[in-house]
Amino acid sequence: MQAKITVTETWLRKHRHLYDGATRHPFIGSIRDGNIDISAFKTWLGQDYIFVRAFVPFVASVLTKAYKGSDDGNGDVEVILGGVAALHDEISWFKKEAFKWGVQLSSIAPQKANQEYCRFLESLISPEVEYTVAAVAFWAIETIYQESFAHCLEDDSKTPPELKETCQRWGNESFGEYCNSLRNIVDRQLEKASDDVITKAEATLLRVLEHEVDFWNMSHRRT
Ligand SMILES: Cc1ncc(CN)c(N)n1
């Protein structure tokens, strides 16, 4: 018997071009082929620290929505709580990494693409945004980083040794499993969602993909 095609699978096929644009961006390509401009990496590091700080309240809001909105026999709350805990670690890692690269986090202002992405996250915190819609954004945001950085760890990659730890942070297998758990949550929710919510969730996925591309563009210096 053939496995049923999930909603996320349908979307990823339909929006493959945009999805690949987010997960195979030239910034990621430049890490993978070893040509990364270190000043671009430092820009990304400082801007992503600001993003992750704004991501925390967003993920907390998804946690609240999971508690209220899922019939949580399926353990959504635990999976998302794991994500919150990982973010605590991630913030410490950014501070350590910034120190290593001489990046002064306290003096960095968010660039326009980052501001717009953070504003988008804030809009999703609203209680009016359904759990399913917010969960789709959460899954997509985590998965884009997982796929992007895992690409830099493949056998034929020439990722500089000093950037391997960064790539491991999101590209490792257990982060991949966590992203799969998020995807299962999302597909389970989408199975029982109304057409209206499915439409909103798909539009939200597209917005995330666009913001992620803009975010990479912000850091990537074209030569
Ligand atoms: C822009 C962005 N997107 C996703 C992630 C992964 N949490 C991140 N740190 N930054």
Side-chain angles (χ1 to χ4, degrees):
M1 201 175 71
Q2 273 198 331
K4 193 162 163 251
I5 296 179
T6 60
V7 177
T8 55
E9 182 58 37
T10 312
W11 286 348
L12 293 181
R13 289 182 191 181
K14 186 169 157 196
H15 304 298
R16 174 55 56 187
H17 185 68
L18 192 50
Y19 187 73
D20 287 350
T23 56
R24 297 287 184 267
H25 188 275
F27 177 76
I28 282 298
S30 74
I31 296 178
R32 192 184 195 278
D33 65 20
N35 292 328
I36 176 89
D37 169 357
I38 286 301
S39 76
F41 176 76
K42 290 184 186 181
T43 301
W44 166 81
L45 188 73
Q47 292 297 320
D48 212 38
Y49 172 71
I50 295 171
F51 176 84
V52 171
R53 293 203 76 100
F55 192 51
V56 172
F58 164 69
V59 179
S61 78
V62 181
L63 184 71
T64 307
K65 284 172 184 167
Y67 174 69
K68 292 185 177 167
S70 74
D71 37 353
D72 200 30
N74 297 309
D76 295 19
V77 167
E78 269 99 307
V79 173
I80 300 163
L81 186 59
V84 175
L87 285 173
H88 183 262
D89 225 47
E90 204 163 299
I91 285 179
S92 308
W93 177 83
F94 270 102
K95 288 182 179 163
K96 187 185 82 168
E97 200 67 9
F99 181 75
K100 182 172 120 190
W101 290 99
V103 174
Q104 195 85 52
L105 292 174
S106 57
S107 62
I108 296 171
Q111 291 187 25
K112 187 165 170 277
N114 199 1
Q115 277 174 355
E116 286 171 0
Y117 202 176
C118 292
R119 220 173 291 136
F120 171 67
L121 287 182
E122 257 180 66
S123 73
L124 295 175
I125 291 176
S126 161
E128 271 154 43
V129 174
E130 296 84 354
Y131 171 49
T132 306
V133 174
V136 164
F138 183 34
W139 156 67
I141 292 168
E142 297 288 51
T143 301
I144 290 163
Y145 259 43
Q146 205 282 325
E147 281 212 23
S148 299
F149 285 109
H151 188 46
C152 301
L153 295 171
E154 287 163 359
D155 287 346
D156 59 341
S157 69
K158 300 194 189 80
T159 297
E162 64 275 22
L163 299 187
K164 285 252 166 85
E165 190 188 312
T166 300
C167 300
Q168 281 287 354
R169 170 149 282 282
W170 292 278
N172 74 73
E173 254 176 55
S174 88
F175 197 75
E177 281 161 20
Y178 157 68
C179 290
N180 278 337
S181 305
L182 293 179
R183 185 170 176 174
N184 290 336
I185 287 176
V186 161
D187 275 316
R188 217 180 297 119
Q189 284 297 123
L190 288 165
E191 281 279 309
K192 56 183 184 187
S194 66
D195 288 350
D196 174 51
V197 167
I198 293 175
T199 303
K200 279 196 248 174
E202 185 175 8
T204 300
L205 169 65
L206 296 184
R207 299 274 310 273
V208 168
L209 294 174
E210 286 160 2
H211 279 298
E212 287 287 338
V213 171
D214 289 347
F215 199 91
W216 294 130
N217 282 343
M218 179 181 67
S219 310
H220 189 59
R221 308 254 187 284
R222 278 160 212 84
T223 46

